Amino acid sequence: MIALDGDDDGDSDGDGTCIARARHLMADFLGRARADHGMAVSTRAVGLAQLVVSELVTNAHKYAPGPLRMELRIVDDAVEVTVRDGVRVLPVARPVEPGRVGQHGLEIVMAVVQAFQVRLEPAGKSVTARIALTDGSVGPR
């Protein structure tokens, strides 16, 4: 598990650098899965996984003050990202409104993941998204 946003690692990134750091961690993680373990990981999957991480970490950073944690793992033919924060409020994807500026993050995430789950926990919530490692496995759950 990786601490972001000023927890165990001593960073203080109230300016949102944890979002860029999370994107880099995802790219490095998938690069190691490909290089060190011979896993098939498409370039598109890396981009989608970075997009999903950006949206989940951005939401946690904006709406849940305090530390957040990100966990990455490979499960079968997908990468799962879990972001934990300290606020026990469920995120809600808003209905599609093409004219709306902003607040499309969860809408985008839901369009590109294989699975999406939110769980309330004693000290907050965890949001988990599952992204296919190869092309062709994206779409509604």
Side-chain angles (χ1 to χ4, degrees):
M1 201 161 324
I2 301 156
L4 298 170
D5 202 10
D7 196 21
D8 297 339
D9 58 3
D11 282 6
S12 179
D13 53 8
D15 61 355
T17 58
C18 66
I19 299 160
R21 183 169 166 236
R23 288 178 59 85
H24 289 291
L25 288 167
M26 175 60 89
D28 290 346
F29 180 78
L30 292 177
R32 286 192 319 273
R34 186 186 297 146
D36 298 348
H37 302 285
M39 299 194 76
V41 180
S42 72
T43 301
R44 182 173 186 265
V46 174
L48 288 176
Q50 286 183 294
L51 172 66
V52 169
V53 162
S54 290
E55 295 299 337
L56 297 183
V57 171
T58 295
N59 284 351
H61 183 72
K62 282 176 70 172
Y63 302 114
L68 60 103
R69 295 186 181 278
M70 181 176 77
E71 181 178 337
L72 305 175
R73 72 178 150 258
I74 302 291
V75 177
D76 299 324
D77 60 350
V79 60
E80 284 187 354
V81 56
T82 299
V83 175
R84 289 183 169 83
D85 65 48
V87 174
R88 296 190 83 233
V89 175
L90 298 175
V92 177
R94 299 180 77 188
V96 175
E97 289 181 40
R100 182 178 67 236
V101 176
Q103 297 185 338
H104 292 279
L106 284 179
E107 180 184 327
I108 292 167
V109 167
M110 299 299 283
V112 301
V113 300
Q114 286 182 321
F116 183 80
Q117 177 183 13
V118 180
R119 287 190 333 219
L120 292 179
E121 298 179 344
K125 69 180 163 297
S126 66
V127 179
T128 302
R130 182 179 173 114
I131 304 108
L133 291 176
T134 57
D135 299 343
S137 299
V138 179
R141 283 111 343 251

